[in-house]
Amino acid sequence: MEVKLLSGALGAEIKGINLKDTSDNNFNKINDLLLEHKVLFFRDQKITEEQHLALAEKFGPLETHAYVKGLDKFPEIVRIIKAEDEKNQWGENWHSDVSYNVKPTKAVIIKSIKIPPVGGDTCFSNMELAWETLDEKIKEKIKDKKAIHSSLGAEFFIDNYKKMEGNGKKNYGEYSNEHPIVRTHPETGKKILFVNWTYTKRIIGLDEKESDEILKKIFEHQARLELTCRFTWTENTVCIWDNRSVIHFAIADFYPGRGLGHERIMDRIAVEGDQPH
Ligand code: SIN
């Protein structure tokens, strides 16, 4: 096995692990690597949808997305499509997937299907390191507090993207839930900064002005480049991220002459998480 680190902060590209092998022994190896590096990349993986699902199921029960319709044959697979003539793409700001749910996603297993010749990299940031390196005064202020996370509604996930389809549920409003700002990782026991620019709206117990000021500082801190890694996709890459301990950002740098006019397609499977504590 070969492990190539993507940066000093997090992320590793792995060679020599067979993702079709769903034995406990192989899964434990992958999970140990995930806990250590937080996001893993495996290039040249010609796995079928069934094999993609079998790999994801090793991490736990699968989730269906709050708003988005999965594939007809495989409802747990959400096909994320940036159409040829779209500038924007799904996930183009820092976030942790569905952090507005009572039980936000544990892990995401995503496979690149179609990748533009230029543009569309994804960045990840390490929220364990973000907590460790956060200003001590801010830490003291927020360490026992909770924050409100709200979804931005169906429009954000579906109506903004031509080729994305809703799941037909009637209740398309916002979901809002409270989570501790510092959560404990259920497998490693490490402290993690659990807020994100896209969904975290308010620190409970602070007035609005102070909450806004502190969140702004935290969001700037989380995005510091020395906490991040950046991955340039090739087709048939499988990526697994620990959604409890990273935030991510899919860069929408589709400018004329530099990749605009190309489709980008990813197949995403999410694994159910637990309630942050
Ligand atoms: C996401 O934010 O879930 C999608 C990531 C990507 O397409 O790179």
Side-chain angles (χ1 to χ4, degrees):
M1 182 177 71
E2 230 182 89
V3 178
K4 184 180 146 217
L5 300 187
L6 262 82
S7 80
L10 82 164
E13 196 175 321
I14 311 293
K15 278 190 190 150
I17 284 198
N18 177 6
L19 296 183
K20 295 177 191 162
D21 173 359
T22 52
S23 65
D24 287 349
N25 187 33
N26 200 42
F27 169 72
N28 290 338
K29 254 195 264 172
I30 297 171
N31 198 46
D32 286 350
L33 286 165
L34 183 65
L35 295 178
E36 184 178 350
H37 301 291
K38 300 183 172 52
V39 55
L40 305 176
F41 300 90
F42 304 81
R43 291 195 197 266
D44 302 318
Q45 300 295 320
K46 294 221 166 73
I47 58 170
T48 61
E49 279 95 353
E50 285 89 348
Q51 286 162 338
H52 189 179
L53 284 161
L55 170 66
E57 274 164 354
K58 291 299 287 185
F59 288 89
L62 304 184
E63 208 176 65
T64 48
H65 196 274
Y67 298 106
V68 185
K69 183 174 177 292
L71 298 181
D72 286 339
K73 200 163 161 212
F74 306 103
E76 296 93 351
I77 301 183
V78 166
R79 187 151 284 172
I80 304 173
I81 306 178
K82 182 202 88 71
E84 290 90 334
D85 54 348
E86 259 168 355
K87 162 75 182 82
N88 297 320
Q89 71 168 333
W90 234 59
E92 64 181 35
N93 284 304
W94 285 115
H95 65 287
S96 157
D97 279 5
V98 300
S99 71
Y100 48 82
N101 278 351
V102 178
K103 295 180 175 181
T105 303
K106 169 184 175 178
V108 174
I109 297 89
I110 199 166
K111 183 182 171 223
S112 54
I113 307 291
K114 201 165 176 195
I115 294 297
V118 62
D121 291 0
T122 306
C123 293
F124 294 82
S125 185
N126 179 340
M127 290 304 101
E128 200 181 296
L129 264 185
W131 174 248
E132 271 172 44
T133 55
L134 188 64
D135 176 86
E136 286 302 328
K137 282 198 203 110
I138 298 183
K139 273 183 160 174
E140 199 45 47
K141 189 112 205 166
I142 61 170
K143 67 177 194 302
D144 299 316
K145 295 215 163 17
K146 288 186 166 184
I148 299 172
H149 295 239
S150 295
S151 80
L152 305 173
E155 188 185 309
F156 178 74
F157 292 98
I158 303 154
D159 298 353
N160 287 335
Y161 307 98
K162 290 181 187 150
K163 293 197 175 171
M164 306 289 294
E165 215 184 312
N167 58 14
K169 274 190 206 146
K170 293 233 161 41
N171 178 11
Y172 253 23
E174 276 187 17
Y175 292 61
S176 267
N177 282 293
E178 296 171 8
H179 296 304
I181 294 181
V182 190
R183 72 182 287 187
T184 305
H185 195 289
E187 289 177 81
T188 65
K190 300 275 189 179
K191 298 282 181 212
I192 303 159
L193 185 59
F194 194 66
V195 291
N196 65 85
W197 185 89
T198 303
Y199 302 126
T200 310
K201 302 296 164 199
R202 178 80 189 257
I203 299 175
I204 298 167
L206 299 184
D207 67 42
E208 193 172 348
K209 184 166 175 289
E210 191 175 21
S211 164
D212 285 351
E213 281 167 7
I214 292 183
L215 283 178
K216 183 168 180 284
K217 285 187 185 148
I218 296 177
F219 297 154
E220 282 167 5
H221 174 73
Q222 299 181 298
R224 278 169 49 190
L225 292 180
E226 65 268 34
L227 301 178
T228 70
C229 68
R230 174 173 176 155
F231 187 74
T232 300
W233 298 92
T234 42
E235 284 169 8
N236 297 312
T237 297
V238 171
C239 163
I240 307 174
W241 74 75
D242 182 343
N243 193 57
R244 301 162 293 192
S245 59
V246 302
I247 54 172
H248 60 284
F249 189 131
I251 303 175
D253 54 345
F254 304 104
Y255 297 106
R258 290 185 164 270
L260 191 76
H262 294 277
E263 213 176 22
R264 181 181 185 273
I265 305 178
M266 311 290 263
D267 271 0
R268 170 192 181 276
I269 304 179
V271 180
E272 275 179 27
D274 57 355
Q275 189 157 0
H277 63 276

